[in-house]
Each structure stands twice: as structure tokens, then as C-alpha cells.
Amino acid sequence: MFLKMIGIIILTIILTIISFIFNRKKTLKGIRKGIMMFVKILPTLLSVIIIVSIVLYFVSDKILMQYFGNKAGLMAYVSAALIGAISIIPGFIAYPLSGILISKGISYAVIAVFITALKMVGILTIPLEAKYFGLKTAIIRNLLAFVGALIVGSLMAFIYEMI
């Protein structure tokens, strides 16, 4: 993993140098814009990382495995889908968090359910969605997305078992 990161950093530096050679003005503008975007998301990123770290500190691996491990069965999928459905976590936080959970023993299938529900289901945003599309449409879309997240997890489990 560390070597991959070093490779990505080296590739990024090389491509930035090539871009700088071809168009200094655009490259510098892009670098400034990237730094500004990073500075804007940094407070959110740090606060979520701190909260996730605190939660993972207090929630033992035993509890994680009890609710999301292989022995939890269908309840692991439903729990992951429910947590994903009510969470509002940006992808740049959810994916590293998922990596941490996988390293603690949570299966890829359960993580797939969590990520899918996180991105497709929006329990907390139903009022806003209902305002534009109607309550019936918002509820049906969210229910179908919830079921879809469970199906994605089931397919991931099936595919993972075959490999």
C-alpha cells in the first residue's frame, strides 16, 4: 500500500512538471485552485476524522463483529444499510472509513451495502426531495434504493465467495 502511494505521488509530480512545461499559467492556476479546495474541505475532513476516530476508539472490535461480522448474517446487511441510509458522510470520508472497517474484519459485502445506501438512500433528505418530487415519489425512490443496497451487498457476497 505504501509503495502504491509513493508511486501515485511520483506520477503526480511528473505529470505536474509536464503540465508546467506546456502551460505554466494554467498549471499554477490549477495548483492554486486545488490548494483552495483542499483548504475549504479541511475543517470538515478533520472533524469527521476526529469523530470517526473517537467512535472507533469506544466501539470495540468485538461489537463491530457482533453487528457487522460474518456471524451477524442478514442483520449485518440491514444494519449497514440503515446506518448508510441515515448518514450524511461525504465520499472522501466514507471510503477511508470503509478501509478501516475492512481492516477490522468487516466483509466487503457489508461495506458495499453501507456505501451503496450512503450514496443512494437519503432518509434525512426526504423532506427536501419530497418538496421537488412529491412525498410518494421520494419514499418509493428511497425504499427501492434501500432494497437495491441490500441486493448489491448480496451480489458482492456471492461474487466474493466465487473468487
Side-chain angles (χ1 to χ4, degrees):
M1 172 99 162
F2 181 72
L3 291 176
K4 288 180 184 178
M5 290 303 298
I6 296 295
I8 290 171
I9 291 170
I10 291 170
L11 180 64
T12 303
I13 290 170
I14 291 169
L15 292 174
T16 304
I17 291 170
I18 291 169
S19 176
F20 189 77
I21 291 169
F22 283 104
N23 194 332
R24 291 179 185 194
K25 187 175 178 181
K26 279 188 180 180
T27 303
L28 291 175
K29 183 179 176 183
I31 290 171
R32 278 189 216 105
K33 188 173 184 177
I35 289 170
M36 292 307 295
M37 289 172 63
F38 178 73
V39 168
K40 283 183 183 179
I41 66 167
L42 190 59
T44 305
L45 180 65
L46 290 176
S47 63
V48 172
I49 287 173
I50 290 168
I51 291 169
V52 166
S53 298
I54 290 170
V55 169
L56 288 176
Y57 176 78
F58 287 113
V59 176
S60 69
D61 291 353
K62 181 181 174 185
I63 292 173
L64 281 174
M65 293 311 291
Q66 179 182 349
Y67 290 103
F68 302 107
N70 292 334
K71 293 181 182 176
L74 180 62
M75 204 56 210
Y77 295 97
V78 174
S79 299
L82 287 172
I83 291 171
I86 61 171
S87 300
I88 299 178
I89 303 173
F92 64 86
I93 300 295
Y95 301 126
L97 170 62
S98 297
I100 292 168
L101 294 173
I102 287 170
S103 72
K104 291 189 176 280
I106 307 301
S107 72
Y108 286 101
V110 173
I111 295 299
V113 171
F114 169 70
I115 294 287
T116 305
L118 179 70
K119 294 300 175 187
M120 290 177 47
V121 183
I123 300 295
L124 299 177
T125 58
I126 283 180
L128 181 64
E129 194 173 337
K131 180 179 175 184
Y132 291 99
F133 303 116
L135 183 60
K136 184 178 176 182
T137 302
I139 290 173
I140 290 171
R141 191 204 65 75
N142 278 282
L143 283 173
L144 289 174
F146 188 84
V147 171
L150 293 173
I151 291 170
V152 165
S154 300
L155 289 172
M156 283 293 294
F158 178 73
I159 291 169
Y160 196 76
E161 288 296 319
M162 290 184 69
I163 297 174

